[in-house]
Every structure is written in structure tokens, then in C-alpha cells.
Amino acid sequence: MIFPKLKSQGAPLVDRYQNLLDGLQEAVCLVDASTNALLALNQSACQLLRVSSGELLGCSMDSLACTTEDAVFWMEAASGSREGLHSDTLLRAGDGQTLWVSRRITHVPQPGGPGLWLVTMQDQTRQRQHDEERETLLAELKATLESTADGILVTDLAGRMRSFNQRFASLWGLPEDLLLERNDEAVQAWMRRSVVDGASYAVRLAAIEEAPLLQTSDVIKLIDGRVLERVSQPQWSRGRPIGRVYSYRDLSEKLAANQRIEELSHSDMLTGLPNRRALCERLDYAQAMGRREGTPFALLDVDLDRFKQINGTLGHNYGDRVLKEVALRLKECLREVDTVARLSGDDFALLIHQADARGAELAARRVQEAMSRPFSFDTLSFTVTCSIGIALFPGDGATVEELMASAERAMHWVKESGRSAFRFHQPRKDVDLLSRMRLDHAMRQALQEEQFRLHFQPQIDLSTGQVIGAEALIRWSDPTRGEVSPAEFIPVAEESGFVIAIGDWVLQRAVKQAAQWLRQGRRMPVAVNVSALQFQQPQFAETVAAVLNESGLPPELLELELTESILLRDAEEALHRLEALAALGVCMSIDDFGTGYSSLGYLKRFPIQRLKIDRSFVKGLPDDESDAGIVNAVIQLGRALRLQVIAEGVETLAQRNFLQQAGCHEFQGYLYAPALDASSFEERVWPAVADAALRPQGTHARPTLLQARIARNG
């Protein structure tokens, strides 16, 4: 860098001081007070300014100045000012860069002249860099503290405040003037007044401050309802504690959210009632209290009747409104100590404390009375009934699961008996539950290991004596149990739901056998019993269609036998499924007719081709007048509805003759043959010589059932 030279009058004067300047370690230079020209500088100054002495001698100090302060000083010095200056400033170095220095300018008087300026300089560039880095670091640390979601307070070992962030101030609601004062006692007093228990807060804080190495975590409740978490850690520096860092976090929202989650996990979203989980917890507590104090209580399982019709007809919005109204009515039936819960869908439960059978019955009647009032929404008015099952503690269950299962079973008994009533649980004392479990497991293994087989019982036309069909009946030969009667394992299968798998197996095997006979030129309709659970499966009609398609059996050669209870449990829904099956072309009959509660109105609408008289009415024929009257009534009803009538369990010629004279169309039973395996059935049904003993007297023959079916189907 080129510095302009000035002509100076004082240069010879300072020559004798050059050695003195060179001996100084500080950077020093002498300046002519009249011209501000540099007269002399030592080697330290040259190194500091990164120039040689020859480059600066004679140059004006103005050329080194980088600040307004220095420019004004040298301007005033040239005007005669002799006042010195001491400050940090920037100077221009020989390489064009600027550097920070701490420089002192002092006037040195000289006889007979303006004198000299003595300028001493110390390099502050590195210090400045350190200071800037420290300030940057401190700013970043402060920004970090301000950016955290926690309130931070730093104290020394005596508990005096050293620093804090704004989050700390806002959490505690500290006034700004209080913070500006830095009055520790006032701040601590404010914090003590803000907590619910100020005395305990002060004691705990004192204990923390007395243990410099202690790490703590506390929960503090404020009088405004908020909850803070306080975590404190010792602050270390160079291996020793110098203070303590407190962090405060507002837990209010988190606790409220957790409480809301807990409430939701125990509450029903629609009605706000306790849910199954909450009910189980309350039942646990009620059982514990009942065992300790010897007091009974009751559990009522309340299930709405035909609620599907409301959802299906009015829509789910109306269904939800009904459920909310039901919840309100049930709550009105209870005391404050009792509980009403929604278990699922339209299923509710009532926990009645300190209630025996009488108390439970009164509660059930209150529920029925409340439900008997019409529901009115907008312009609609309708009635919703309910079925109630009652279980009593401790007699109906020692655990929550047993008690709830007992109440549910009692409720289902009400459903099966006609609905809109209540019933107490009746324990099955004669049933070995462990034995039923073992039997259920054995059934499942039997299906996998192909221990089941089908037998076929011939069905005979009373007019011609011809075999016009066969009923497929399942048989089970267990390796350890031997022959197991269907009357023993079918009820267990129905209770466990395994009857669906068994029913599908029977359907597939029976259809397969009928198709095999058809390929051999033997056209034989087969009848298959259908359980309630199997019939209620949403895809039952599709399952039947798939089995027929796979086997190639014409649908008119398959007959499905259904009980009255299946058809009348939900008659409208049953009608839809029967129509779907009728569309496939399969035949359908009502099995065990007369043992249920048939509605003639529905019976007329159902696409049924045949009625089967139950063996319990055939057994007493012809001598039992009641049985004879019932059989005659069923036959006349069938003829009036143009239905084929078949009697089962026919064992004697007298029974067969009575049925024939009464106008019954067909029969099956031991009189002709028991249920036979497939090969025995073939030998019995298709022999070279017909069984003359069973042929009817007379020459008027009726068309077979198959012919009648074909004629009706057009």
C-alpha cells in the first residue's frame, strides 16, 4: 500500500530517539505535532502495521486512520489541539487490511516548537475475534434457551438468579418490572404465592439448594389450575458444581389429553356411557366388595329387539338417536351408585349394587316400563322393546367373564322365547363344562381327520311305495368314544359355532353323493338339515350355489330342511334369504313342523314345498288322540297350502296306514329302513325286486315328489 509523504521539520530532532524506540516492546511511533507526519516508529510498530519503516516515515497519520474518531482527532491536532486520546480503534495496515488496536496518543512538548505526538499501540485483533466469537456463542446459547419449550432458570450455589429465559417468566407469570429489578427474594416470593401449597414448595426448594449434587424431578400444582414439572440438575464448570439449572415444563395439556384418552378408553363415543372395559373394572370392584361384605349384586344384559329394522328402515342417524335416548332412559331407572354401560351396538348392561333377585326383578321392570314409552323423533313415533337377561353374584359367576356370560345367555333365552321380557340365568347343573370343551375339541379334530360320514334315510311315497328322496344324516365314529350320537355333539357344535363348518361339510358331501348317483343314472333328491347359525350366514345362498355349480347337481335335486325357529327369529330377513335360495331352484321344507310357533301369515309367504311332521307326534299314532288330532291338522294345513307333507319316525304298519288314510304324502322311518351308508342305501333302494310288503293297496298312484316339484316349477 502506498502512503503519501509529507515534508516534516522535526525529523532530525527524533533521530536521537530511534534507538530508544527500538528498545521498546510495544509498538510506538512519533508524529510531528505541526504536520501529523510520522517521524519515527520502532520495529514492533512495523510488524503490527505490516510495513517497513521506510514506507511510513513522512506519511500523514490520516492515511492510517479508519474511524471517524481518529480522523477528527488528527484534524483537531493539526489545528493546534494538544489533548491526548486513549481508545480502541481500527487502523489501516500496509497490506490494505484493517486491524483492531488499543492505542494511546500523548503530546510530548518540545522547546521552541509544536512538539511531538507519542503513539503507543497494542494489537487487539485476536482479542476482538475471541470477543466476537464469545458474543456469538452467547447469543446462540441465549437464542437456544429462548427457543426451548421449557422455562429455564439458572442459579448460583447460594440460590441467586444468574439467568433465565422468557418461557420461565411466562410460565410463572412474572411481572416485567420484577424481572428487571433482579430481586431474587421478590421473584421467589412470587413463585411461592403462585403454587397451591407454598409452604411445602419452600421446604422442597430449600432441600434442593442444600444438596449441590442432587438431581430432582417434581410436579408443582399452581393455583390457576396448571401443573408444572420441575427438573433440576447441578451446573458444572471445570469439574466442580457452580450452581443449578432448573427447567419447568407445563404438563397441563398433556395431563388433560391423557385424561381425555383415559375417558375415551372407558367411555362409549355415541352415548357417553361407560363401555365394556369400564364395566369390567366396576364389576371387579363390586365382586371384591361383595366377597368382603357378603352383599349380592345383579348384572342385567339389556338388548334392544329388532334394532336392525330401525337402522335399515330409518337410517343410522335415527338409530343413533334411539341409542342416545335409550341411554338416558336406562340412567333414569338406576340409583346414583348403579352403573349403566353400552357393551356394543344395541346391547347395554346395568350393574345394580346390593341387589338380590327381588331387587334385580324390580330394576328389570323399571327398564321395561321406561322402554314401553313411545320414541318420537320429528314426525315419527314408534316403540322399541328389549330383552333382559339377569345374572346374580355370586351364584351365577365367580369371575367377571362368567357373570357377563350368564347374563348374556339369559338374554338370548329371552330372544329365543319371543323377546320383550326378562329372565334370570338358570345354571346348567347337569352339564359337565369340561366334558363339553373336550367334545368340542374332538369334533374339530374329527372334521380334519375325516372321522365324520354321511348316512342316507330313504323317503317313501305313501301312494306308490317308491323311494322319492333321501335325508342326509351325519354320523361320527370316534376312535376312543366309539359311535357318538348327533343328539350329543350337535348341541355342543351349535353352542360353539362349529355347527357352521359341520353343516358346510354335510352340504358338500350330500350334494356330491347325489351328483354321483345322477351320473350313474339314478336320480335321487337329497335333503340336508340346515342349522340356525348356518342359515344366518350372510353368504349362505352363495355357498349353496357354489356347491351346486362345483358338483353339477341340478338344484331341484337338493332340498334344505329348516326349522320353524330359524324362519321366525327374524321373519322378514328369513324371507329374503328363502327367496334367494328359491331363485337358485332348490327345494325347501320346514322340519319338525308343529313343535315351534309357526305364523300362518309367514308360512303362506315363504317359498316352502314341504312340511315334515315331527316324530314326537307320530310316535303315539294311531291310539293317542292328541297326536292324531295334531297330525290330521298338519296334513290338512299342508294340503290347504298345497304343500307336500312327510312324516318322520314311522316304525309300524299301523302308523303308516293312519298317515295314508289321513292324506299324508310321504314318510320315512325304520319301517322301511334306518339311515344307511351310501352303498347300503343303493342296495336297499335299487334292488331287482321291489318290497311288495310296503306297496299300497289299490291302483291309484300319485306323482312322486320330484314330479310334483317339476310340475309346480312349470
Side-chain angles (χ1 to χ4, degrees):
M1 183 175 179
I2 300 177
F3 296 95
K5 304 288 185 176
L6 295 176
K7 188 174 181 180
S8 176
Q9 301 296 327
L13 182 64
V14 298
D15 288 341
R16 61 179 178 272
Y17 297 117
Q18 186 64 50
N19 291 333
L20 179 60
L21 294 178
D22 289 337
L24 297 175
Q25 291 184 351
E26 283 186 304
V28 180
C29 60
L30 293 176
V31 180
D32 189 339
S34 60
T35 62
N36 291 343
L38 191 65
L39 300 178
L41 70 164
N42 62 2
Q43 189 61 34
S44 296
C46 292
Q47 292 176 355
L48 174 64
L49 298 174
R50 303 177 195 132
V51 294
S52 63
S53 59
E55 290 182 75
L56 286 181
L57 290 178
C59 297
S60 173
M61 287 299 291
D62 293 344
S63 60
L64 298 177
C66 293
T67 64
T68 304
E69 181 186 33
D70 281 9
V72 171
F73 174 81
W74 291 116
M75 185 184 299
E76 293 177 350
S79 301
S81 174
R82 298 297 179 258
E83 184 177 352
L85 179 65
H86 182 199
S87 65
D88 292 342
T89 188
L90 281 171
L91 294 182
R92 185 175 292 108
D95 56 5
Q97 301 293 320
T98 57
L99 60 136
W100 279 100
V101 297
S102 175
R103 55 101 178 86
R104 182 187 297 272
I105 305 176
T106 306
H107 184 259
V108 180
Q110 292 291 330
L116 302 173
W117 290 107
L118 176 64
V119 181
T120 59
M121 298 171 288
Q122 291 182 345
D123 189 356
Q124 297 292 327
T125 302
R126 184 170 296 178
Q127 183 62 40
R128 280 281 180 168
Q129 291 176 345
H130 290 329
D131 291 345
E132 290 178 358
E133 291 174 357
R134 185 171 61 253
E135 290 177 2
T136 301
L137 180 60
L138 290 175
E140 291 176 351
L141 289 175
K142 184 175 181 181
T144 301
L145 288 177
E146 295 298 343
S147 300
T148 183
D150 296 345
I152 303 298
L153 170 65
V154 182
T155 65
D156 60 16
L157 291 176
R160 293 185 293 267
M161 295 173 56
R162 290 172 50 203
S163 62
F164 58 88
N165 63 359
Q166 289 301 314
R167 178 60 176 163
F168 164 76
S170 64
L171 282 177
W172 286 94
L174 293 168
E176 185 175 355
D177 56 347
L178 195 63
L179 295 172
L180 294 176
E181 292 177 5
R182 292 281 181 159
N183 188 328
D184 291 349
E185 293 184 0
V187 171
Q188 291 294 349
W190 177 280
M191 295 171 70
R192 283 195 301 272
R193 290 194 301 270
S194 300
V195 301
V196 173
D197 189 349
S200 298
Y201 170 84
V203 171
R204 178 59 174 163
L205 184 62
I208 293 173
E209 292 177 350
E210 289 176 0
L213 304 183
L214 182 65
Q215 300 180 10
T216 66
S217 177
D218 303 282
V219 174
I220 302 172
K221 295 182 179 179
L222 304 185
I223 57 176
D224 61 6
R226 290 180 298 129
V227 178
L228 302 183
E229 178 188 31
R230 176 181 62 188
V231 177
S232 70
Q233 299 275 356
Q235 185 184 34
W236 295 82
S237 178
R238 298 178 182 178
R240 62 184 183 88
I242 61 172
R244 184 168 290 278
V245 178
Y246 296 90
S247 63
Y248 299 88
R249 178 171 296 181
D250 192 346
L251 299 180
S252 304
E253 292 184 3
K254 181 179 179 181
L255 292 176
N258 290 340
Q259 183 177 359
R260 180 59 178 161
I261 292 172
E262 185 68 14
E263 290 175 354
L264 291 176
S265 69
H266 285 74
S267 301
D268 174 59
M269 292 289 290
L270 178 63
T271 62
L273 296 176
N275 58 14
R276 181 182 292 271
R277 177 181 177 184
L279 177 67
C280 290
E281 293 179 357
R282 298 186 187 187
L283 282 172
D284 261 333
Y285 178 76
Q287 286 184 330
M289 295 296 294
R291 292 188 186 97
R292 188 179 71 180
E293 300 178 359
T295 55
F297 64 87
L299 178 66
L300 278 62
D301 191 325
V302 181
D303 192 88
L304 304 185
D305 296 329
R306 298 185 177 90
F307 185 72
K308 288 183 180 178
Q309 296 180 1
I310 296 176
N311 280 334
T313 305
L314 304 179
H316 288 278
N317 288 335
Y318 273 96
D320 290 347
R321 294 173 69 178
V322 169
L323 292 174
K324 292 179 181 178
E325 178 65 21
V326 169
L328 293 176
R329 294 188 185 188
L330 293 179
K331 289 171 68 175
E332 293 172 356
C333 299
L334 303 182
R335 303 164 298 179
E336 289 291 333
V337 296
D338 299 328
T339 297
V340 55
R342 184 187 178 202
L343 302 182
S344 64
D346 58 346
D347 192 13
F348 296 82
L350 278 64
L351 171 58
I352 314 297
H353 289 283
Q354 296 182 345
D356 54 10
R358 178 60 178 165
E361 180 180 347
L362 291 175
R365 294 191 183 279
R366 288 197 301 270
V367 171
Q368 286 188 315
E369 182 181 354
M371 294 298 295
S372 66
R373 301 196 305 268
F375 288 77
S376 298
F377 298 113
D378 302 330
T379 59
L380 295 173
S381 293
F382 51 89
T383 301
V384 179
T385 61
C386 63
S387 299
I388 305 173
I390 305 174
L392 299 175
F393 176 83
D396 295 331
T399 65
V400 171
E401 292 77 12
E402 292 177 358
L403 201 63
M404 294 182 70
S406 297
E408 185 177 4
R409 279 195 295 270
M411 181 270 294
H412 284 301
W413 288 336
V414 176
K415 292 278 188 183
E416 294 171 359
S417 302
R419 302 182 177 90
S420 188
F422 66 86
R423 178 170 178 170
F424 286 88
H425 174 258
Q426 296 177 353
R428 301 179 180 179
K429 299 179 180 179
D430 298 331
V431 176
D432 185 349
L433 295 180
L434 182 59
S435 175
R436 295 175 71 88
M437 291 174 60
R438 290 171 176 166
L439 184 59
D440 179 71
H441 178 68
M443 276 191 301
R444 298 174 189 273
Q445 287 186 319
L447 186 61
Q448 294 179 356
E449 299 172 3
E450 299 184 354
Q451 296 175 8
F452 291 119
R453 64 190 189 279
L454 275 190
H455 280 192
F456 299 88
Q457 186 168 42
Q459 296 176 331
I460 316 301
D461 188 301
L462 274 166
S463 298
T464 66
Q466 295 179 354
V467 177
I468 48 84
E471 180 180 5
L473 299 170
I474 190 171
R475 295 294 183 261
W476 177 18
S477 180
D478 184 78
T480 58
R481 291 179 171 84
E483 289 293 326
V484 185
S485 169
E488 180 181 354
F489 68 83
I490 291 298
V492 176
E494 288 178 340
E495 185 174 316
S496 67
F498 188 61
V499 72
I500 297 174
I502 292 178
D504 290 344
W505 181 88
V506 171
L507 176 65
Q508 292 172 358
R509 292 300 177 92
V511 169
K512 182 178 179 181
Q513 181 62 67
Q516 181 179 338
W517 285 333
L518 184 62
R519 288 192 294 271
Q520 296 171 355
R522 298 168 174 174
R523 192 175 179 88
M524 180 61 62
V526 292
V528 175
N529 291 284
V530 177
S531 71
L533 285 177
Q534 189 180 10
F535 182 75
Q536 290 167 3
Q537 296 305 300
Q539 305 300 321
F540 179 65
E542 289 80 354
T543 300
V544 173
V547 171
L548 290 171
N549 290 336
E550 183 180 354
S551 66
L553 182 71
E556 65 269 14
L557 294 183
L558 173 64
E559 179 177 347
L560 302 177
E561 294 190 0
L562 308 158
T563 63
E564 292 176 84
S565 60
I566 293 177
L567 301 179
L568 296 179
R569 181 167 296 173
D570 193 335
E572 291 296 334
E573 185 176 345
L575 179 59
H576 291 314
R577 296 193 180 179
L578 289 175
E579 290 173 344
L581 292 168
L584 296 177
V586 301
C587 301
M588 286 169 285
S589 64
I590 297 182
D591 191 14
D592 302 335
F593 187 78
T595 61
Y597 304 91
S598 291
S599 167
L600 295 181
Y602 280 114
L603 189 61
K604 183 178 178 181
R605 296 170 59 190
F606 289 155
I608 298 296
Q609 286 79 34
R610 184 154 67 166
L611 300 180
K612 177 176 279 190
I613 302 174
D614 186 67
R615 66 178 66 249
S616 62
F617 302 128
V618 174
K619 184 178 181 180
L621 296 179
D623 300 325
D624 190 301
E625 294 183 1
S626 297
D627 287 346
I630 292 173
V631 169
N632 274 314
V634 172
I635 293 172
Q636 294 305 314
L637 176 62
R639 286 186 171 275
L641 296 175
R642 295 185 179 182
L643 301 176
Q644 297 292 110
V645 180
I646 181 172
E648 64 178 358
V650 177
E651 299 179 355
T652 67
L653 282 171
Q655 292 171 343
R656 190 209 69 170
N657 292 335
F658 178 90
L659 292 168
Q660 184 177 11
Q661 292 172 5
C664 185
H665 301 134
E666 300 140 7
F667 80 94
Q668 66 184 78
Y670 275 63
L671 178 62
Y672 183 86
L676 305 169
D677 60 68
S679 59
S680 299
F681 181 89
E682 295 169 3
E683 294 174 0
R684 181 70 179 86
V685 174
W686 291 293
V689 180
D691 188 350
L694 288 176
R695 290 191 179 275
Q697 305 299 320
T699 58
H700 300 286
R702 293 176 56 255
T704 66
L705 174 61
L706 177 58
Q707 292 170 336
R709 293 172 181 168
I710 296 175
R712 283 197 300 272
N713 293 336

